[in-house]
């Protein structure tokens, strides 16, 4: 009874992001914060442009109006929030990290009835 979109936004997203999370954590622990940020930003750009682009080349992608009204604006809002957090002092603190994680948990809680 769970929609494909919810599965993609939760289970698949978490599963495909765990290696990136591990690499970013190792980079951060070793003091290579530029690697951690580059990994996350690069992965997101790749997923949005290349993965969606290749899939759309193979078969058209139908995007439901509800996705354009809910998930897309939230993605844009989180992106702008992250830019704001990174621009302020050019540093992400533990509090900033907690805000981002709580935001993700809140987003997931809105998806799952």
């Amino acid at each position: 009874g769970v929609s494909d979109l919810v599965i993609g936004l939760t289970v698949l997203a978490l599963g495909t992001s765990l290696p990136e999370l591990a690499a970013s954590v190792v980079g951060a622990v070793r003091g290579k914060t530029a690697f951690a940020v580059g990994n996350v930003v690069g992965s997101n750009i790749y997923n949005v442009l290349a993965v969606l682009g290749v899939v759309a080349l193979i078969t058209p992608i139908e995007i439901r109006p509800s996705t354009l009204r809910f998930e897309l604006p939230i993605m844009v809002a989180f992106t702008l929030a992250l830019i704001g957090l990174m621009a302020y002092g050019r540093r992400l603190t533990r509090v900033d990290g907690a805000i981002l994680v709580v935001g993700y948990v809140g987003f997931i809680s809105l998806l799952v009835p």
Side-chain angles (χ1 to χ4, degrees):
V2 179
S3 76
D4 291 344
L5 181 66
V6 171
I7 292 170
L9 288 170
T10 56
V11 178
L12 291 176
L14 182 63
T16 58
S17 297
L18 285 177
E20 295 166 25
L21 177 62
S24 293
V25 167
V26 169
V29 167
R30 293 184 179 171
K32 307 290 185 186
T33 55
F35 173 80
V37 172
N39 182 35
V40 171
V41 172
S43 172
N44 286 314
I45 290 171
Y46 178 78
N47 284 334
V48 169
L49 300 178
V51 172
L52 276 178
V54 168
V55 172
L57 283 172
I58 296 168
T59 184
I61 300 172
E62 182 180 332
I63 300 170
R64 295 186 317 205
S66 62
T67 300
L68 295 174
R69 286 191 312 268
F70 182 69
E71 288 86 4
L72 183 63
I74 287 179
M75 182 181 79
V76 170
F78 274 123
T79 301
L80 294 174
L82 179 61
I83 290 169
L85 290 171
M86 289 171 56
Y88 182 75
R90 307 264 189 244
R91 178 181 193 131
L92 287 176
T93 65
R94 287 185 174 104
V95 171
D96 297 332
I99 290 169
L100 294 171
V101 170
V102 167
Y104 179 71
V105 170
F107 170 70
I108 296 301
S109 70
L110 291 174
L111 285 179
V112 180

